[in-house]
Amino acid sequence: MERRARTLARGHLLRLAGLISSIVLSVPACAQHAQPLDARFLLGVGTHQGLGGPVSARGYVPSENVAQIKQLGFNAFRDDFPWSDFEVGGRRMGFTPRLGRLETQVKSGVARPLLILAFGHHLVPNSSPPTTDEARQRFADYAAAAAQAVVAQHPLFELWNEWNLASKKDAAFSPENYLALAQVARPAVKRVAPNAPFLIGALGDDPGWTWTEKMLRTGILQYADGASIHLYNFCMGPSKRTSAEIIDRLTAFHRLVGQASGNPDYPIYVTETGWTTAGNKCGVSEQAQADNTAQLILWASTATRWLKGMWLYELKDSGKNPSELEDNFGLYRFDNSPKPVACAAQGAWAFIRSSLSAERRELASGLVSINASTASGSRIAVWSEAPDRRYEIRLKGDQQGASFAMPCDQAARPAAGVWIPVSSTPVLIAANDSAVPALEIRPAR
């Protein structure tokens, strides 16, 4: 009995040793297969080439805007693909002069297009929104032709824009009608563009998730490849106009979708988010816009198991009125000069886009770090979530070759041995070592 027990124990140990060696062996193999963030995650920006005809009243010009997207280094953009401009009389489908700007930007190849399939058609009864079988079929025909026209550019598609907000004024925008449209539109798109993700939701503000929950209860997620949402907080109390508030609400949405789908990693896309710098009671300062955006980009690297993309709204200011909310969301001003948010977004993305893995940590009250690994060493981003709470940090030990910068800095500085002030502007530290450097922390003097 005792000998048998020893034999069993030895067998158990051998199996355990085998298991441990397989785990040890599998870690580097697994790390070799890890993809950098920019191969797993879409960071994009909203543009307005698809609305407004050949000349944009919002000041969008494809040659300018393609150069801006290139400068930012983003790998996606989002724009409208209106049915009524794509299908003309006699059911002829294709890019028309009214969609010339959109066609130019899509076919420039600057980034992956996320295109909104939306809006009724003046020649199709009951089409805004589609509420009859005939109108839905006509919409599906347009969706398929639209997908066919851009399939070479590896597009994504989104079904309508903020359907839930339209439901406040028109009962036809019901969750049931949205489901019925998804049921015909997705198969039509997939027939011609089988690899194009088809997103549902494009949800505008939904306090208490009332409409969202109704939509999820219809079972619509089985007719989609991802759920999309728009997240804004610029009109909340000033202390809530932060990236932390956006992250909290996004996490709640992710939980709801996970429960409804039975998949905790059901793909989520934030297809609009941002802050307006309008000089009125809902605006934030240009510096707050820059800091919030950089923080959100850095944090997104930690959530890619389920968060598959994020589009900042919008590329450039849509008007010149300094106090008009809608005129002042841009990363660039109306005249195309960059706001601080342009270099903040560009710098944060350049810093994190090569990360193979990342996690968020709380270092002290309100002090957050994103710890990331890359093929060339570790990265750590640190910021204070409370603008009035400031810290200083210093690398522990002898970290030769480590450097730090803010997102908008032209060049990094040596980090070894110096106390670095931390505010709501993220500090970006790069180390040659694969281990994330340990930090000393003290309140700012």
Side-chain angles (χ1 to χ4, degrees):
M1 183 78 180
E2 199 175 280
R3 201 159 121 217
R4 183 161 175 262
R6 270 209 304 273
T7 310
L8 284 171
R10 197 181 304 122
H12 178 67
L13 284 170
L14 286 169
R15 276 200 307 280
L16 192 60
L19 182 63
I20 289 168
S21 70
S22 75
I23 290 170
V24 171
L25 287 170
S26 72
V27 171
C30 174
Q32 283 163 12
H33 295 140
Q35 290 181 304
L37 179 66
D38 58 10
R40 298 177 276 125
F41 180 78
L42 295 171
L43 180 64
V45 68
T47 57
H48 283 294
Q49 309 293 6
L51 294 180
V55 178
S56 167
R58 295 171 181 254
Y60 274 87
V61 177
S63 56
E64 285 272 8
N65 308 136
V66 166
Q68 289 163 337
I69 295 167
K70 238 183 214 139
Q71 188 177 9
L72 293 165
F74 291 0
N75 56 7
F77 66 84
R78 175 179 185 258
D79 213 311
D80 297 277
F81 204 168
W83 180 10
S84 54
D85 291 337
F86 189 76
E87 178 181 341
V88 294
R91 298 202 181 188
R92 284 170 304 144
M93 310 258 194
F95 279 106
T96 57
R98 285 191 63 75
L99 290 176
R101 287 184 296 114
L102 179 66
E103 183 177 20
T104 300
Q105 185 168 294
V106 168
K107 294 190 175 170
S108 73
V110 67
R112 267 184 90 177
L114 166 58
L115 297 168
I116 307 160
L117 300 171
F119 316 120
H121 199 295
H122 59 286
L123 299 176
V124 181
N126 309 302
S127 66
S128 188
T131 52
T132 62
D133 287 345
E134 190 195 351
R136 289 182 192 115
Q137 191 51 56
R138 291 284 298 270
F139 182 91
D141 294 345
Y142 134 73
Q148 184 73 64
V150 297
V151 67
Q153 281 75 37
H154 308 291
L156 301 84
F157 296 101
E158 193 167 27
L159 185 61
W160 221 267
N161 187 58
E162 300 186 340
W163 182 288
N164 67 309
L165 296 189
S167 72
K168 292 177 178 178
K169 294 187 181 138
D170 183 349
F173 286 92
S174 66
E176 293 72 26
N177 278 334
Y178 192 54
L179 167 70
L181 194 58
Q183 285 171 324
V184 295
R186 182 175 181 265
V189 166
K190 288 292 189 182
R191 271 196 295 278
V192 296
N195 299 321
F198 184 88
L199 314 183
I200 58 88
L203 291 156
D205 196 27
D206 185 23
W209 304 111
T210 315
W211 202 93
T212 302
E213 289 183 327
K214 283 182 191 157
M215 177 191 80
L216 293 174
R217 279 199 294 272
T218 66
I220 195 169
L221 294 177
Q222 63 190 300
Y223 303 102
D225 303 299
S228 62
I229 187 166
H230 300 168
L231 293 165
Y232 294 106
N233 56 25
F234 51 86
C235 267
M236 293 184 178
S239 67
K240 290 269 195 195
R241 296 175 199 175
T242 61
S243 69
E245 191 284 329
I246 296 287
I247 292 163
D248 284 348
R249 242 176 332 132
L250 174 55
T251 308
F253 177 67
H254 160 230
R255 233 183 351 256
L256 283 177
V257 170
Q259 287 160 359
S261 65
N263 173 8
D265 296 335
Y266 191 92
I268 304 281
Y269 296 78
V270 177
T271 53
E272 283 186 24
T273 190
W275 288 268
T276 178
T277 55
N280 70 20
K281 67 182 193 319
C282 285
V284 301
S285 69
E286 288 192 347
Q287 190 58 51
Q289 182 193 33
D291 291 344
N292 284 343
T293 303
Q295 291 171 16
L296 202 51
I297 291 168
L298 293 162
W299 170 83
S301 67
T302 69
T304 55
R305 217 181 61 242
W306 53 270
L307 182 63
K308 302 303 176 185
M310 181 167 75
W311 285 257
L312 304 174
Y313 189 82
E314 61 178 315
L315 181 60
K316 66 184 292 294
D317 285 351
S318 275
K320 299 186 212 173
N321 182 341
S323 60
E324 172 58 48
L325 283 179
E326 280 292 333
D327 282 6
N328 294 281
F329 277 96
L331 277 66
Y332 295 82
R333 298 185 182 89
F334 189 82
D335 66 4
N336 293 308
S337 62
K339 292 187 194 172
V341 67
C343 63
Q346 179 189 355
W349 180 236
F351 178 78
I352 204 71
R353 68 182 297 168
S354 61
S355 65
L356 302 171
S357 64
E359 62 169 356
R360 178 190 182 277
R361 290 191 184 166
E362 192 138 336
L363 304 177
S365 177
L367 188 68
V368 169
S369 79
I370 304 299
N371 298 359
S373 68
T374 75
S376 57
S378 59
R379 301 272 187 277
I380 180 165
V382 186
W383 68 85
S384 169
E385 289 188 327
D388 55 345
R389 195 174 287 149
R390 291 175 176 250
Y391 292 91
E392 293 177 338
I393 55 171
R394 182 168 71 176
L395 300 186
K396 278 186 185 166
D398 183 23
Q399 291 279 345
Q400 287 312 309
S403 62
F404 79 96
M406 309 296 177
C408 286
D409 288 351
Q410 292 298 305
R413 287 162 279 174
V418 296
W419 283 100
I420 305 165
V422 180
S423 65
S424 49
T425 304
V427 174
L428 311 176
I429 301 167
N432 300 331
D433 205 348
S434 60
V436 172
L439 300 175
E440 294 179 63
I441 301 160
R442 68 185 188 192
R445 300 183 168 170

